[in-house]
Amino acid sequence: MSQQFREDADRTVRIPVQVLSNGTVAMESGERLPRIRPGALGELVLQADSVDNPAIVEALNGSASTTLLSKGELVWVRLVSKDASTPGLVRFEDDVPHPRMIGHQFAAVTLEEDVRLVTRGTKRGQLEKALCLVRVGQGRQPSAATSLNHAYRLLSEAFESHRVSFGGNIFEAAFVRRQTGWISLDALRKAAEASARQEVDRAVEAIERRAEVPSGGASS
């Protein structure tokens, strides 16, 4: 895959749309949408009062929580140190790591509590706070962090002193080892979000089916 193709794939475009009287989606001007590749995924963002059934709005905005990481797991955070052999950081030379781990140094975060991901309807999931331990500072003694994001910032401050700002996107920087191999926190989040969206889809479908049944009940 070329660099240009990867950059194009990471970009998004915003297309203002309107729903026509026949229920189809068109450009905001009323013209038909440009040709879009089959299987393309996106989001339709609407004002809540555009949806007729309030129960569907509630389902789309509902909150759910799932365990993403378990107490006792080690989360390995990718760091960029100017020293290729920085004490306290490791490389997985004798392992078969995730492709995004190759050539990088890592520090371990020990989870003292389960890490849960909260999803609200179809929105991106957010991590709840969870106590974890990192080794930073004099003698690399364990220090407590209130969340994975906090742990990432502490590690970044300790090992990436050359940076202007510390920490970053923990989903892109963190990896865990499972029986099937290494997996990024981002991939775990996406899987949890996909499962949550399926639950929302099923809830919306059930609401619509109930709405189609006449108030007197289904005829025999």
Side-chain angles (χ1 to χ4, degrees):
M1 183 184 292
S2 70
Q3 179 66 25
Q4 181 62 50
F5 188 89
R6 284 196 296 269
E7 289 176 356
D8 288 345
D10 289 339
R11 296 168 58 199
T12 59
V13 295
R14 297 181 65 87
I15 303 176
V17 299
Q18 68 162 303
V19 179
L20 303 179
S21 58
N22 61 2
T24 61
V25 178
M27 300 284 284
E28 189 176 37
S29 63
E31 297 293 327
R32 66 181 182 180
L33 290 170
R35 182 173 297 179
I36 299 172
R37 295 178 188 276
L41 299 176
E43 297 179 351
L44 181 61
V45 181
L46 300 169
Q47 292 181 320
D49 60 4
S50 299
V51 180
D52 285 339
N53 193 330
I56 291 179
V57 175
E58 184 176 350
L60 291 172
N61 286 327
S63 178
S65 176
T66 184
T67 300
L68 203 65
L69 301 164
S70 299
K71 177 182 177 180
E73 274 196 280
L74 289 181
V75 179
W76 293 92
V77 177
R78 182 180 60 209
L79 298 164
V80 179
S81 172
K82 288 190 172 183
D83 186 348
S85 57
T86 302
L89 299 184
V90 301
R91 293 179 186 269
F92 297 94
E93 304 289 0
D94 299 326
D95 206 339
V96 182
H98 189 283
R100 298 211 309 270
M101 297 176 68
I102 297 173
H104 293 283
Q105 295 172 296
F106 290 83
V109 178
T110 303
L111 300 181
E112 295 291 292
E113 297 176 325
D114 290 347
V115 175
R116 300 187 67 81
L117 184 80
V118 176
T119 54
R120 289 178 173 80
T122 56
K123 297 180 175 66
R124 298 301 300 269
Q126 301 293 324
L127 293 178
E128 288 187 330
K129 290 186 176 182
L131 181 65
C132 45
L133 298 178
V134 294
R135 291 186 178 274
V136 296
Q138 189 69 28
R140 305 300 182 204
Q141 294 299 311
S143 297
T146 57
S147 67
L148 273 177
N149 281 298
H150 183 204
Y152 186 13
R153 183 170 60 79
L154 292 177
L155 290 170
S156 181
E157 289 173 347
F159 295 104
E160 299 179 319
S161 58
H162 58 281
R163 292 183 55 176
V164 175
S165 59
F166 301 108
N169 186 340
I170 187 64
F171 291 103
E172 295 291 336
F175 299 81
V176 294
R177 189 173 185 177
R178 298 285 169 83
Q179 290 184 341
T180 55
W182 290 95
I183 186 168
S184 68
L185 189 59
D186 187 49
L188 289 176
R189 174 177 67 168
K190 287 178 178 176
E193 288 173 342
S195 178
R197 284 195 296 270
Q198 290 175 354
E199 290 294 327
V200 172
D201 290 348
R202 284 192 284 268
V204 170
E205 184 180 2
I207 293 169
E208 290 186 326
R209 282 201 304 268
R210 289 196 296 270
E212 291 172 356
V213 176
S215 58
S219 59
S220 57

